[in-house]
Amino acid sequence: MALQELSRHRCFGGWQVFLQHDSAEIGLPMKLGIYLPPAAEKGKVPALTYLAGLTCTEETFLIKAGAQRLAAELGLILIAPDTSPRGTDFPGQAENWDFGIGAGFYVDATEAPWQAHWRMYSYVTKELPALVAENFPVDTGQRGIFGHSMGGHGALICALKSPGLFRSVSAFAPISNPVNCPWGQKAFTGYLGADKASWAAYDASELMKAQAHPNPILVDQGEADQFLERELHPHALEAAAQISGQQLTLRRHAGYDHGYYFIQSFIEDHLRHHAALLK
């Protein structure tokens, strides 16, 4: 699988690289960012995939979160894909910021016209791991995943549905119960159809009720988050963990909102959480 390098930047002794490739799963070009720590020059290292939220791109986390310094110290590759396919001209794809472009929701769409390209779940769990392992020194038995908001939802469902692929998982302010919030209901109706029975396969709380991930999960949530009550529903995740016995640490932080200042504040805890499980 050929990768086209778009840019490369020296960063904390390693390299921040941005790339593009023709995706077989998506059927369109996809962009991603990857941070290679100094340890990657000496051998295989663990890889941690980050899934971004609504309206974001492959650059957002890598520019805003300040994660590379600690990733260099801990010897972690960071992988950040885009949040949706781009390059289509579907009706309605850019009319709303919470559906269509920049809003893939990490599902495999089944409804027209989205099913042709909106296959972010399979991209993240199949094509992307293989692509990165083929081109970079990844220890394929040591993969983790985390994300923010829509990407927190994506990280949780990918790990819960593929625990053998992702040994560690965490999330910042995830959409924890999308079947019961406006963002999720809008996206799932558009991508998956009106039959709500199919939605549970992409709902972290529903998945966690049925089967716990084998390793502890860390979730951070700001109490001043403007989307907390309407969209995020962390209480549903806590209830699901009690049902399945999932080891879940859900921390609530007074004064913190939904943005990247919140992520910057706790990114070290998340990287150390993954490093401990992956090493």
Side-chain angles (χ1 to χ4, degrees):
M1 291 180 279
L3 278 170
Q4 175 190 359
E5 187 171 304
L6 302 176
S7 66
R8 174 179 289 258
H9 315 274
R10 202 68 161 145
C11 186
F12 293 103
W15 292 98
Q16 179 59 62
V17 187
F18 291 96
L19 308 126
Q20 181 172 292
H21 72 107
D22 292 328
S23 169
E25 196 67 59
I26 301 296
L28 293 165
M30 288 292 291
K31 291 182 179 179
L32 67 143
I34 184 164
Y35 177 68
L36 301 168
E41 297 179 4
K42 301 176 182 178
K44 293 185 177 181
V45 296
L48 183 55
T49 297
Y50 177 86
L51 303 182
L54 291 162
T55 76
C56 294
T57 72
E58 74 286 350
E59 293 184 315
T60 309
F61 169 76
L62 294 168
I63 291 173
K64 291 185 174 183
Q68 290 94 333
R69 177 191 60 79
L70 192 60
E73 176 188 322
L74 297 174
L76 296 172
I77 287 177
L78 300 177
I79 305 157
D82 201 352
T83 50
S84 79
R86 299 179 194 266
T88 56
D89 59 356
F90 296 158
Q93 68 176 26
E95 291 180 1
N96 298 284
W97 63 276
D98 56 355
F99 184 80
I101 299 296
F105 267 83
Y106 304 102
V107 304
D108 285 348
T110 57
E111 296 296 297
W114 312 102
Q115 84 277 23
H117 301 295
W118 260 250
R119 297 184 51 79
M120 291 299 294
Y121 175 76
S122 287
Y123 179 74
V124 169
T125 60
K126 297 176 183 177
E127 185 172 11
L128 184 61
L131 177 73
V132 173
E134 182 179 314
N135 289 277
F136 300 101
V138 172
D139 183 340
T140 56
Q142 304 292 337
R143 290 191 177 104
I145 191 166
F146 69 144
H148 170 232
S149 193
M150 177 185 72
H153 140 77
L156 290 169
I157 65 167
C158 287
L160 290 165
K161 290 164 73 71
S162 301
L165 177 61
F166 298 113
R167 292 190 59 190
S168 62
V169 57
S170 71
F172 295 94
I175 304 172
S176 298
N177 191 205
V179 302
N180 286 316
C181 77
W183 278 346
Q185 292 166 349
K186 179 178 181 177
F188 286 5
T189 299
Y191 296 141
L192 303 175
D195 182 6
K196 294 183 179 181
S198 66
W199 296 4
Y202 293 107
D203 184 292
S205 294
E206 295 299 320
L207 290 168
M208 190 179 287
K209 284 180 188 177
Q211 181 66 53
H213 191 275
N215 285 323
I217 294 175
L218 172 64
V219 173
D220 278 307
Q221 175 62 61
E223 291 187 333
D225 190 318
Q226 63 269 43
F227 303 114
L228 176 57
E229 297 301 324
R230 178 179 168 89
E231 304 289 359
L232 304 181
H233 298 181
H235 60 277
L237 205 63
E238 287 179 312
Q242 290 182 346
I243 291 171
S244 66
Q246 174 69 57
Q247 297 180 71
L248 173 68
T249 299
L250 199 160
R251 309 188 302 184
R252 291 174 170 84
H253 304 279
Y256 286 90
D257 61 22
H258 197 69
Y260 269 81
Y261 296 115
F262 162 59
I263 294 174
Q264 289 174 22
S265 299
F266 300 103
I267 188 65
E268 180 170 351
D269 293 349
H270 283 248
L271 293 188
R272 291 195 184 281
H273 164 83
H274 288 275
L277 291 170
L278 297 178
K279 292 187 176 182

